[in-house]
Amino acid sequence: HRFRNVAPYAALARTFGGALKVTPSAGVRWNRSSEFGGVWGAQAGVTVASRLGEAHVRWARAFSLPGIWAAVFTAGYGRGEEWRRLEPELVDHLEVGFAPRRGARAALDVTLFHDDVKDALRFVPPPPAPPRWANTGAYTARGGELTFTLEPVEALGLYAGAAYTETTPAAVPYAPRWTFSGGAVATVSVLRLALDAQWVDERLVGNTRFPAPPARVDAFFLLNGKVTARLDALVPGLVVFVAGENLTGSDYAYRPGYPMPGTTVSAGASLGF
């Protein structure tokens, strides 16, 4: 199979004002597929910034076309060229956000979003046989994100974030209800220490290669760290590091039957001229 896409696009943004800055923006993209015809995407928004902070409203329309896997699997399961009747998956995304000013060393950002998806593309298992790719209908997702960064002193940076997502219907894959993240970066003499952590709620996941219904994977917690040292006193431009992933040895997977590694440690060095 040979798939071709031509996608011209254009975007424009302009800022007006002084103490109160208003920046409207807009863009459009047209995609012409050799197999699925034409579909368009677009975006528009406005950002308002003042001494109180920054607020924004954004809308975007995006698309996802069936790809080469749809053609290969459809033919492999004896459905011939049924894949040619598939439609692009479309999503309309709307978000509203506000980032109040919290001083020079702190930042807060709150964003609410709503997604409206049509003609969702899914790999549908039996019954009835054989399996197939299909446009399975519509769903919505809504929620919010909050991030907070703080630099209490020049050599220390802290970050925390949370996200909440709710879908209709509830059984939408790849949509954990809650996600939390956090991190810290500190500099001590020639050392730079970084830690990041993430907790992801349980969720459904689809299978894009084998005929199986969506399965549930458990929530998991990850902790990663890295220590970097600049050793210019020994060799100009020398940087060495030691990094660890999944430091707590969490047992987790992004897909059932595909366990991720336990604690992993790596080390390296770079030399700049």
Side-chain angles (χ1 to χ4, degrees), residues 46-252:
V46 61
T47 299
V48 180
S50 72
R51 60 182 181 82
L52 299 177
E54 183 177 289
H56 74 266
V57 178
R58 297 192 183 109
W59 167 83
R61 183 181 194 264
F63 52 83
S64 178
L65 293 168
I68 194 70
W69 283 112
V72 171
F73 277 112
T74 301
Y77 285 117
R79 289 186 172 272
E81 295 193 342
E82 183 181 278
W83 57 272
R84 294 184 182 274
R85 296 198 294 270
L86 294 172
E87 298 291 336
E89 179 176 313
L90 303 175
V91 56
D92 286 296
H93 173 83
L94 177 66
E95 68 174 58
V96 179
F98 181 54
R101 295 198 184 280
R102 313 295 297 176
R105 294 184 176 273
L108 176 67
D109 192 299
V110 180
T111 300
L112 302 177
F113 66 87
H114 179 90
D115 290 337
D116 187 4
V117 180
K118 299 180 180 64
D119 293 326
L121 286 166
R122 295 287 187 268
F123 191 37
V124 181
R132 61 193 176 94
W133 280 94
N135 294 107
T136 57
Y139 68 88
T140 60
R142 68 205 69 85
E145 298 178 353
L146 184 147
T147 61
F148 180 70
T149 58
L150 177 66
E151 189 180 351
V153 295
E154 188 173 345
L156 177 63
L158 304 173
Y159 161 82
Y164 173 82
T165 303
E166 183 181 65
T167 63
T168 303
V172 173
Y174 314 111
R177 181 65 60 94
W178 286 100
T179 302
F180 298 97
S181 60
V185 178
T187 302
V188 181
S189 184
V190 299
L191 298 178
R192 178 181 173 89
L193 299 90
L195 285 174
D196 66 86
Q198 182 185 56
W199 184 88
V200 181
D201 207 348
E202 65 175 2
R203 64 219 175 276
L204 290 173
V205 295
N207 198 322
T208 59
R209 295 195 173 191
F210 302 103
R216 187 171 297 277
V217 294
D218 294 331
F220 64 84
F221 172 79
L222 291 179
L223 178 65
N224 309 308
K226 185 177 183 180
V227 179
T228 304
R230 299 192 63 88
L231 302 180
D232 294 303
L234 297 178
V235 178
L238 176 63
V239 178
V240 298
F241 75 89
V242 177
E245 298 183 10
N246 191 8
L247 296 176
T248 59
S250 296
D251 183 10
Y252 74 106

